Amino acid sequence: MKRHRLVERQHPIFSPIGFTSTFILVAGLSLYIWFTGGRAFNPGNLSALNARGEEVGGFLSHADFQDACTQCHAPFKGIEAARCQNCHTNVADQQRRGAGLHSRFANVTRCADCHQEHKGENFDQAAAAEHDFDHSVTGFSLAEHELDYAGAPLTCTICHSPQSAVAMDAAICQDCHKQEKPDFMQTHLADFGADCLACHDGLDTLADFTLEDHAQSFALTGLHAETTCAGCHNAGIFEGTPADCVSCHAEPDQHRGLFGVDCAACHTPDGWAPATLDPAIFDHARDTGFSLARHVANYDQTPFTCDGCHTGPQFAFAVADCAACHGEADAAFMTAHVAQFGDDCLSCHDGADRMSNFDHAIVWPLEGQHAAADCVGCHQAQVFAGTPRDCVACHAEPALHAGLFGLDCAACHTPAAWQPARLMHHTFPLTHGDEGEIPCATCHTTTFD
């Protein structure tokens, strides 16, 4: 029986043929990956859409670097924001400056959270990002901009043009609102300018802003209710508007430096006059005891101002200023008047000039010798109230008839003169002996002492 020689079979992998086949396969795949840029691992084509038609980083769309995966992907790490920003330098600039849309996102370093890819050449990345986009991060909410004035849905392109999907032209706001409220917008633009976003946040916090709302910051009562917004908020600036009066109302020259700048201590929003004080209406005659009835105009007919008399700090008043002012008009009279009565003018005068054209006869007739008497003869130390009216208060009883006739001087004497005296009432006839009225010494032979 013929024997055949047994041939040893080679290992299917670790044989020359196996090694050669494996090498050819790996080399082929490597070359394919090298020349296709990793297309073998590509989950889908990149978008070829470019709404603005502008190059970014030297490319018109992501499809231009379809096979250059490392443009966005780092080996074993995935998408890196830094690689995206190599082309999208505006995003990097916004993050660096802390301004712009991409400076407001918490996930700004995770580009793929908003911007998806590998969805095909016709995939609209912008539309996909807008679908879940929270517009409030821009500082402008769309809560009140879901529908236009006609009730139709507002789309992004109503406010944002395709050429500038992020930037917002304020003229678009104006054009839209002018169609609905032309008169209001004309006044509004004149008062606050065209930068709508400087005041409005899309929630329309100012659209239904009432006087009650404003009162939380500043009550618009009295004449303040008639003022325009621009009257206090210059250039459309609302934040930090001062609430103190002097910021809008300059201190008038009439009381500059006298009352301070707390205008509300005397004035109310109902009007500059009348002034109020604590908080009743201020009446100079009642509250100070001095009427301004005869101090409306000065000697030269110029109006009196508060600081005309109150020349000291914080409304201080020096009574000597009265004599100084009146002395300029009539120096001779004032010199004599001050010498006679002193310079405490308010001890006699109350502003209504109660001493001017005073009829002394109402209190005490100045007749006879009394007409020539000086005021200080009866009114010592310029004290007028309570001056006694009986004769003996000024004329001491003479020793001649002390204790004989009593103190009713007017029973015998008149203001014309001390003598002759005339006895008005005598119980014994003074025509004794039919000789007419006889002298006292006829019967009273001794002296009256």
Coordinates of all heavy atoms in Angstrom, one line a residue, residues 273-345:
A273 N -45.6 128.4 45.3 CA -46.3 129.2 46.3 C -47.7 128.7 46.5 O -48.4 128.3 45.5 CB -46.2 130.7 45.9
P274 N -48.3 128.8 47.7 CA -47.6 129.3 48.9 C -46.7 128.3 49.5 O -46.9 127.1 49.3 CB -48.8 129.6 49.8 CG -49.8 128.6 49.4 CD -49.7 128.4 47.9
A275 N -45.7 128.8 50.2 CA -44.7 127.9 50.8 C -45.4 127.4 52.1 O -46.3 128.0 52.7 CB -43.5 128.7 51.2
T276 N -45.0 126.2 52.5 CA -45.5 125.6 53.7 C -44.4 125.4 54.7 O -43.2 125.3 54.4 CB -46.2 124.3 53.4 OG1 -45.2 123.4 52.8 CG2 -47.3 124.5 52.5
L277 N -44.8 125.3 56.0 CA -43.8 125.1 57.0 C -44.4 124.3 58.1 O -45.3 124.7 58.8 CB -43.3 126.5 57.6 CG -42.2 126.4 58.6 CD1 -40.9 125.9 57.9 CD2 -41.9 127.8 59.1
D278 N -43.9 123.1 58.2 CA -44.2 122.2 59.3 C -45.7 121.9 59.6 O -46.0 121.8 60.8 CB -43.6 122.7 60.6 CG -42.1 122.7 60.6 OD1 -41.5 121.9 59.8 OD2 -41.5 123.5 61.4
P279 N -46.5 121.5 58.7 CA -46.5 121.7 57.3 C -47.6 122.8 57.0 O -48.1 122.8 55.9 CB -46.8 120.4 56.7 CG -47.8 119.8 57.7 CD -47.4 120.4 59.1
A280 N -48.0 123.6 58.0 CA -49.1 124.6 57.8 C -48.6 125.6 56.8 O -47.4 125.9 56.6 CB -49.5 125.2 59.1
I281 N -49.5 126.3 56.1 CA -49.2 127.4 55.2 C -48.5 128.5 56.0 O -48.9 128.9 57.0 CB -50.4 127.9 54.5 CG1 -51.1 126.9 53.6 CG2 -50.1 129.2 53.7 CD1 -52.3 127.3 53.0
F282 N -47.4 128.9 55.5 CA -46.5 129.8 56.2 C -47.1 131.2 56.2 O -47.4 131.8 55.1 CB -45.1 129.8 55.6 CG -44.2 130.8 56.3 CD1 -43.8 130.5 57.6 CD2 -43.7 131.9 55.7 CE1 -42.9 131.4 58.3 CE2 -42.8 132.7 56.3 CZ -42.4 132.5 57.6
D283 N -47.4 131.8 57.3 CA -47.9 133.2 57.5 C -46.9 134.0 58.3 O -46.7 133.7 59.5 CB -49.3 133.2 58.1 CG -49.9 134.6 58.2 OD1 -49.2 135.5 58.4 OD2 -51.1 134.6 57.9
H284 N -46.2 134.9 57.6 CA -45.1 135.6 58.3 C -45.6 136.4 59.5 O -45.0 136.4 60.6 CB -44.5 136.6 57.3 CG -43.1 137.0 57.7 ND1 -42.9 138.0 58.7 CD2 -41.9 136.7 57.3 CE1 -41.6 138.2 58.8 NE2 -40.9 137.4 58.0
A285 N -46.8 137.0 59.4 CA -47.4 137.7 60.6 C -47.7 136.8 61.7 O -47.4 137.1 62.9 CB -48.6 138.5 60.1
R286 N -48.3 135.7 61.4 CA -48.7 134.8 62.5 C -47.6 134.0 63.1 O -47.4 133.8 64.3 CB -49.8 133.8 61.9 CG -50.3 132.8 62.9 CD -51.0 131.6 62.2 NE -50.0 130.9 61.4 CZ -50.4 130.1 60.4 NH1 -51.7 130.1 60.0 NH2 -49.5 129.5 59.7
D287 N -46.7 133.6 62.2 CA -45.6 132.7 62.7 C -44.4 133.4 63.2 O -43.6 132.8 64.0 CB -45.2 131.8 61.5 CG -46.3 130.8 61.1 OD1 -47.2 130.6 61.9 OD2 -46.3 130.4 59.9
T288 N -44.2 134.7 62.9 CA -43.1 135.4 63.4 C -43.5 136.6 64.2 O -42.7 137.2 64.9 CB -42.2 136.0 62.2 OG1 -42.9 137.0 61.5 CG2 -41.8 134.8 61.3
G289 N -44.8 137.0 64.2 CA -45.3 138.2 64.9 C -45.0 139.5 64.2 O -45.2 140.6 64.8
F290 N -44.5 139.4 63.0 CA -44.2 140.6 62.2 C -44.9 140.5 60.8 O -44.6 139.6 60.1 CB -42.7 140.8 62.1 CG -42.3 142.2 61.5 CD1 -42.2 143.3 62.3 CD2 -42.1 142.3 60.1 CE1 -41.8 144.5 61.8 CE2 -41.8 143.6 59.6 CZ -41.6 144.7 60.5
S291 N -45.8 141.4 60.6 CA -46.5 141.4 59.3 C -45.6 142.1 58.2 O -44.8 143.0 58.4 CB -47.8 142.2 59.4 OG -48.4 142.4 58.1
L292 N -45.8 141.5 57.0 CA -45.1 142.1 55.8 C -46.0 143.0 55.0 O -45.7 143.3 53.8 CB -44.6 140.9 54.9 CG -43.5 140.0 55.6 CD1 -43.1 138.9 54.6 CD2 -42.3 140.8 56.1
A293 N -47.1 143.4 55.6 CA -48.1 144.3 54.9 C -47.5 145.5 54.4 O -47.8 146.0 53.3 CB -49.3 144.6 55.8
R294 N -46.5 146.1 55.1 CA -45.9 147.4 54.7 C -44.4 147.1 54.2 O -43.7 148.1 54.2 CB -45.9 148.4 55.8 CG -47.4 148.9 56.1 CD -47.4 149.9 57.2 NE -48.7 150.4 57.4 CZ -49.3 151.4 56.7 NH1 -48.6 152.1 55.8 NH2 -50.5 151.8 56.9
H295 N -44.1 145.9 54.0 CA -42.8 145.6 53.5 C -42.8 144.7 52.2 O -42.1 143.8 52.0 CB -42.0 144.8 54.6 CG -41.5 145.7 55.7 ND1 -42.4 146.1 56.7 CD2 -40.3 146.2 56.0 CE1 -41.8 146.8 57.6 NE2 -40.5 146.9 57.2
V296 N -43.7 145.1 51.3 CA -43.9 144.5 50.0 C -42.8 145.0 49.0 O -42.2 144.3 48.3 CB -45.3 144.7 49.4 CG1 -45.4 144.1 48.0 CG2 -46.3 144.1 50.4
A297 N -42.6 146.3 49.1 CA -41.7 147.0 48.2 C -40.7 147.8 49.0 O -41.1 148.4 50.0 CB -42.3 147.8 47.1
N298 N -39.5 147.9 48.6 CA -38.5 148.7 49.2 C -38.7 150.2 48.9 O -39.6 150.6 48.2 CB -37.1 148.3 48.8 CG -36.1 148.4 49.9 OD1 -36.1 149.3 50.7 ND2 -35.2 147.4 50.0
Y299 N -37.8 151.0 49.5 CA -37.9 152.5 49.2 C -37.7 152.8 47.7 O -38.3 153.8 47.2 CB -36.9 153.3 50.0 CG -37.2 153.4 51.5 CD1 -36.5 152.7 52.5 CD2 -38.3 154.1 51.9 CE1 -36.8 152.8 53.8 CE2 -38.6 154.2 53.3 CZ -37.9 153.5 54.2 OH -38.2 153.7 55.5
D300 N -37.0 152.0 47.0 CA -36.8 152.2 45.6 C -37.8 151.5 44.8 O -37.6 151.3 43.5 CB -35.3 151.9 45.2 CG -35.0 150.4 45.5 OD1 -35.9 149.7 46.0 OD2 -33.9 150.0 45.2
Q301 N -38.8 150.9 45.4 CA -39.9 150.2 44.8 C -39.5 148.8 44.2 O -40.3 148.2 43.5 CB -40.5 151.0 43.7 CG -41.1 152.4 44.2 CD -42.1 152.2 45.3 OE1 -43.0 151.4 45.2 NE2 -41.9 152.9 46.4
T302 N -38.3 148.4 44.6 CA -38.0 147.0 44.2 C -38.6 146.0 45.2 O -38.8 146.4 46.4 CB -36.4 146.8 44.2 OG1 -35.9 147.1 45.5 CG2 -35.8 147.7 43.2
P303 N -39.0 144.8 44.7 CA -39.7 143.9 45.6 C -38.8 143.5 46.8 O -37.6 143.3 46.6 CB -40.0 142.7 44.7 CG -40.0 143.3 43.3 CD -39.0 144.3 43.4
F304 N -39.4 143.4 48.0 CA -38.7 142.8 49.1 C -38.4 141.4 48.9 O -39.2 140.6 48.4 CB -39.5 143.0 50.4 CG -39.0 144.2 51.2 CD1 -39.8 145.3 51.3 CD2 -37.8 144.1 51.9 CE1 -39.4 146.4 52.1 CE2 -37.4 145.2 52.7 CZ -38.2 146.3 52.8
T305 N -37.2 140.9 49.3 CA -36.9 139.5 49.3 C -36.5 139.1 50.7 O -36.2 140.0 51.5 CB -35.7 139.2 48.3 OG1 -34.5 140.0 48.8 CG2 -36.0 139.5 46.9
C306 N -36.5 137.8 50.9 CA -36.3 137.3 52.3 C -34.9 137.8 52.8 O -34.7 138.2 53.9 CB -36.4 135.8 52.4 SG -38.0 135.2 51.9
D307 N -33.9 137.7 51.9 CA -32.6 138.0 52.3 C -32.3 139.5 52.4 O -31.3 140.0 52.8 CB -31.5 137.4 51.4 CG -31.7 137.8 49.9 OD1 -32.7 138.5 49.6 OD2 -30.9 137.3 49.1
G308 N -33.4 140.3 52.1 CA -33.3 141.8 52.3 C -33.2 142.1 53.8 O -32.6 143.1 54.2
C309 N -33.9 141.3 54.6 CA -34.0 141.5 56.0 C -33.2 140.5 56.8 O -32.6 140.7 57.8 CB -35.4 141.5 56.6 SG -36.4 142.9 55.9
H310 N -33.2 139.2 56.2 CA -32.6 138.1 56.9 C -31.2 137.9 56.3 O -31.0 137.2 55.3 CB -33.4 136.8 56.8 CG -34.8 137.0 57.4 ND1 -35.0 136.8 58.7 CD2 -36.0 137.3 56.8 CE1 -36.3 137.0 58.9 NE2 -36.9 137.3 57.8
T311 N -30.3 138.7 56.8 CA -28.9 138.8 56.2 C -27.9 137.8 56.8 O -26.9 137.6 56.3 CB -28.4 140.2 56.3 OG1 -28.3 140.6 57.7 CG2 -29.2 141.2 55.5
G312 N -28.3 137.2 57.9 CA -27.4 136.2 58.5 C -27.6 134.8 58.0 O -28.4 134.5 57.2
P313 N -26.7 133.9 58.4 CA -26.7 132.5 57.9 C -28.0 131.8 58.5 O -28.4 132.1 59.6 CB -25.4 131.9 58.5 CG -25.1 132.8 59.7 CD -25.6 134.2 59.4
Q314 N -28.5 130.9 57.7 CA -29.6 130.1 58.1 C -30.8 131.0 58.6 O -31.4 130.7 59.7 CB -29.2 129.1 59.2 CG -28.2 128.1 58.7 CD -28.7 127.3 57.5 OE1 -29.8 126.8 57.5 NE2 -27.8 127.1 56.5
F315 N -31.1 132.0 57.8 CA -32.3 132.8 58.1 C -32.2 133.6 59.3 O -33.2 134.0 59.9 CB -33.6 131.9 58.1 CG -34.8 132.6 57.9 CD1 -35.0 133.5 56.9 CD2 -35.9 132.4 58.8 CE1 -36.2 134.2 56.7 CE2 -37.1 133.1 58.6 CZ -37.2 134.0 57.6
A316 N -31.0 133.9 59.8 CA -30.9 134.7 61.0 C -31.3 136.2 60.7 O -31.2 136.7 59.6 CB -29.4 134.7 61.5
F317 N -31.8 136.9 61.7 CA -32.3 138.2 61.6 C -31.7 139.1 62.6 O -31.7 138.8 63.8 CB -33.8 138.3 61.6 CG -34.4 139.7 61.7 CD1 -34.3 140.5 60.6 CD2 -34.9 140.2 62.9 CE1 -34.8 141.8 60.6 CE2 -35.4 141.5 62.9 CZ -35.4 142.3 61.8
A318 N -31.1 140.2 62.3 CA -30.5 141.2 63.2 C -31.4 142.4 63.2 O -31.6 143.1 62.2 CB -29.1 141.6 62.8
V319 N -32.0 142.7 64.4 CA -33.0 143.8 64.4 C -32.3 145.2 64.1 O -33.0 146.1 63.7 CB -33.7 143.8 65.8 CG1 -32.7 144.3 66.9 CG2 -34.9 144.7 65.8
A320 N -31.0 145.2 64.3 CA -30.3 146.5 64.0 C -30.4 146.8 62.5 O -30.2 148.0 62.1 CB -28.9 146.4 64.4
D321 N -30.7 145.8 61.7 CA -30.8 146.0 60.2 C -32.0 146.9 59.9 O -32.0 147.6 58.9 CB -30.9 144.7 59.5 CG -29.6 143.9 59.5 OD1 -28.6 144.5 59.8 OD2 -29.7 142.7 59.2
C322 N -33.0 146.9 60.8 CA -34.2 147.8 60.5 C -33.7 149.2 60.5 O -34.0 150.0 59.6 CB -35.2 147.6 61.6 SG -36.0 145.9 61.7
A323 N -33.0 149.6 61.6 CA -32.6 151.0 61.7 C -31.6 151.4 60.6 O -31.6 152.5 60.1 CB -31.9 151.2 63.1
A324 N -30.8 150.4 60.2 CA -29.8 150.7 59.1 C -30.5 150.9 57.8 O -30.2 151.9 57.0 CB -28.9 149.5 58.9
C325 N -31.6 150.2 57.5 CA -32.3 150.3 56.3 C -33.1 151.6 56.3 O -33.1 152.4 55.3 CB -33.2 149.1 56.1 SG -34.3 149.2 54.6
H326 N -33.9 151.8 57.3 CA -34.7 153.0 57.4 C -33.8 154.3 57.5 O -34.2 155.4 57.1 CB -35.7 153.0 58.6 CG -36.8 152.0 58.4 ND1 -37.9 152.3 57.6 CD2 -36.9 150.7 58.8 CE1 -38.7 151.2 57.6 NE2 -38.1 150.2 58.3
G327 N -32.6 154.1 58.1 CA -31.7 155.3 58.2 C -31.3 155.8 56.9 O -31.0 157.0 56.7
E328 N -31.2 154.9 55.9 CA -30.8 155.3 54.5 C -31.8 156.2 53.9 O -31.5 157.1 53.1 CB -30.5 154.1 53.7 CG -29.3 153.2 54.1 CD -29.1 152.0 53.2 OE1 -29.9 151.9 52.2 OE2 -28.2 151.2 53.5
A329 N -33.1 156.0 54.3 CA -34.2 156.8 53.7 C -34.4 158.1 54.5 O -34.7 159.1 53.9 CB -35.5 155.9 53.7
D330 N -34.2 158.1 55.8 CA -34.4 159.3 56.6 C -33.5 159.2 57.8 O -33.9 158.8 58.9 CB -35.9 159.3 57.0 CG -36.3 160.7 57.6 OD1 -35.4 161.5 58.0 OD2 -37.5 161.0 57.6
A331 N -32.3 159.6 57.6 CA -31.2 159.5 58.6 C -31.6 160.4 59.8 O -31.4 159.9 60.9 CB -29.9 159.9 58.0
A332 N -32.1 161.6 59.6 CA -32.3 162.5 60.7 C -33.4 161.9 61.6 O -33.2 161.9 62.9 CB -32.7 163.9 60.2
F333 N -34.5 161.5 61.1 CA -35.5 160.9 61.9 C -35.1 159.7 62.6 O -35.3 159.5 63.8 CB -36.7 160.5 61.0 CG -37.8 159.7 61.7 CD1 -38.7 160.3 62.5 CD2 -37.8 158.3 61.5 CE1 -39.6 159.5 63.2 CE2 -38.7 157.5 62.2 CZ -39.6 158.1 63.0
M334 N -34.4 158.8 61.9 CA -33.9 157.5 62.6 C -32.9 157.8 63.7 O -32.9 157.1 64.7 CB -33.4 156.6 61.5 CG -34.4 155.9 60.7 SD -35.7 155.0 61.7 CE -34.7 153.8 62.6
T335 N -32.0 158.8 63.5 CA -31.1 159.1 64.5 C -31.8 159.5 65.8 O -31.5 159.1 66.9 CB -30.1 160.2 64.1 OG1 -29.4 159.8 62.9 CG2 -29.1 160.6 65.1
A336 N -32.8 160.4 65.6 CA -33.5 160.9 66.8 C -34.4 159.8 67.4 O -34.5 159.6 68.6 CB -34.4 162.1 66.4
H337 N -34.9 159.0 66.5 CA -35.8 157.9 67.0 C -35.1 156.9 67.7 O -35.6 156.4 68.8 CB -36.5 157.3 65.7 CG -37.7 156.4 66.0 ND1 -38.9 156.9 66.5 CD2 -37.9 155.1 65.9 CE1 -39.7 156.0 66.7 NE2 -39.1 154.8 66.3
V338 N -33.9 156.5 67.3 CA -33.1 155.5 68.0 C -32.6 156.0 69.3 O -32.6 155.3 70.3 CB -32.0 155.0 67.1 CG1 -31.0 154.1 67.9 CG2 -32.5 154.2 65.9
A339 N -32.2 157.3 69.3 CA -31.8 158.0 70.5 C -32.9 158.0 71.6 O -32.6 157.9 72.8 CB -31.3 159.4 70.2
Q340 N -34.1 158.2 71.1 CA -35.2 158.3 72.0 C -35.8 156.9 72.5 O -36.1 156.7 73.7 CB -36.4 159.1 71.4 CG -37.5 159.4 72.4 CD -38.6 160.3 71.7 OE1 -38.5 160.5 70.5 NE2 -39.4 160.9 72.5
F341 N -35.8 156.0 71.5 CA -36.5 154.7 71.8 C -35.6 153.5 71.8 O -36.0 152.4 72.1 CB -37.7 154.5 70.9 CG -38.7 155.5 71.0 CD1 -38.9 156.5 70.0 CD2 -39.6 155.5 72.1 CE1 -39.9 157.4 70.1 CE2 -40.6 156.4 72.2 CZ -40.8 157.4 71.2
G342 N -34.3 153.7 71.4 CA -33.4 152.5 71.3 C -33.6 151.9 69.9 O -34.4 152.3 69.0
D343 N -32.8 150.8 69.7 CA -32.8 150.1 68.3 C -33.6 148.8 68.3 O -33.5 148.1 67.4 CB -31.4 149.9 67.8 CG -30.6 149.1 68.8 OD1 -31.1 148.6 69.8 OD2 -29.4 148.8 68.4
D344 N -34.3 148.5 69.4 CA -35.1 147.3 69.4 C -36.5 147.6 68.8 O -37.5 147.7 69.4 CB -35.3 146.8 70.8 CG -36.0 145.4 70.9 OD1 -36.2 144.8 69.8 OD2 -36.3 145.0 72.0
C345 N -36.5 147.7 67.4 CA -37.7 148.1 66.7 C -38.9 147.2 67.0 O -40.0 147.7 67.0 CB -37.4 148.2 65.2 SG -35.9 149.2 64.8

